[in-house]
Amino acid sequence: FDHTLMTKVSPTDLANQLVATNQVVSDACGISPVLMRPCGGAKTDAGMNIAGAISMPAIVWSVDTLDWKTRDASQTIQTVLEKVKDGDIILMHDLYDATGDASETIIPELVKRGFQLVTVSELSSYRGGMIPGKSYSQFRLVKTNAACQLSRWGSWQAAFFICSQCLAGEQEESRHHNDSSNLLFSVRSSEKAG
């Protein structure tokens, strides 16, 4: 509500801040927030317990552009394009003109590389969800033995595969991942799964 660091307020004050912020947002647009971002990324165990008590996961970031500090579009572009990986959350602040200018280059380039820009909630839903009171800075694809969800890279495009033999429990996971005859389907990161 007041852009106060979680580390600088009592749990009661933090709870009041979160409730007040959620109410203001709900009053303004009719939708209550389901996620929170700790100011400055600063967290405490007590603060995360408060977020959990009101059913909110905390979202931080894996790529910090430092756009608030540099206010330099070319530096923001370079930081993102050099560091970004599948599942990253990129911190940028839309109140700076330089950030808006950087976005005009970053977004088309990420799409060209095969990235799909989604909300944090969408990204989380594709990668296993979130737990209230926990903090998330990225959502990397995780291999699972049951479905052989693999990340294959080529031209910065991720393809996710489900292997029919692993699904049926017929093979050890590591024995047949490169055998394309086992694939039931694949989805490229730039396509919507449906």
Side-chain angles (χ1 to χ4, degrees):
F1 194 76
D2 293 324
H3 205 265
T4 303
L5 296 178
M6 188 184 288
T7 55
K8 304 282 185 188
V9 296
S10 70
T12 301
D13 288 343
L14 177 64
N16 290 338
Q17 293 256 341
L18 289 172
V19 168
T21 300
N22 291 351
Q23 189 60 55
V24 167
V25 172
S26 178
D27 290 348
C29 66
I31 299 171
S32 294
V34 295
L35 307 172
M36 61 91 65
R37 181 185 68 86
C39 298
K43 303 175 301 222
T44 63
D45 290 342
M48 293 306 298
N49 288 338
I50 295 296
I54 59 173
S55 299
M56 297 185 91
I59 305 303
V60 287
W61 49 88
S62 50
V63 177
D64 188 351
T65 62
L66 298 176
D67 62 334
W68 61 271
K69 185 176 183 180
T70 68
R71 301 195 189 173
D72 179 338
S74 62
Q75 183 61 49
T76 299
I77 292 165
Q78 181 179 349
T79 299
V80 172
L81 297 182
E82 287 181 359
K83 294 183 178 186
V84 70
K85 294 186 282 298
D86 181 52
D88 275 340
I89 297 171
I90 301 168
L91 178 65
M92 298 173 75
H93 301 80
D94 63 356
L95 66 149
Y96 304 116
D97 289 339
T99 302
D101 294 342
S103 297
E104 291 177 9
T105 299
I106 292 169
I107 292 170
E109 179 59 25
L110 291 178
V111 170
K112 179 179 162 188
R113 291 182 183 187
F115 286 94
Q116 181 178 358
L117 282 66
V118 296
T119 67
V120 170
S121 295
E122 289 172 316
L123 181 58
S124 163
S125 73
Y126 301 143
R127 302 290 170 93
M130 293 180 279
I131 299 170
K134 300 294 180 189
S135 174
Y136 300 89
S137 63
Q138 62 191 13
F139 293 91
R140 301 274 187 251
L141 186 64
V142 178
K143 286 185 185 180
T144 60
N145 204 18
C148 267
Q149 293 180 347
L150 303 177
S151 179
R152 307 256 178 127
W153 294 94
S155 304
W156 286 86
Q157 290 186 330
F160 310 104
F161 298 93
I162 295 189
C163 166
S164 61
Q165 290 181 358
C166 277
L167 212 56
E170 297 172 359
Q171 294 278 332
E172 290 289 324
E173 179 183 359
S174 61
R175 291 189 186 163
H176 57 279
H177 287 198
N178 294 323
D179 182 356
S180 62
S181 66
N182 293 327
L183 299 179
L184 294 178
F185 66 89
S186 65
V187 178
R188 290 215 178 270
S189 62
S190 59
E191 297 175 0
K192 290 204 176 205

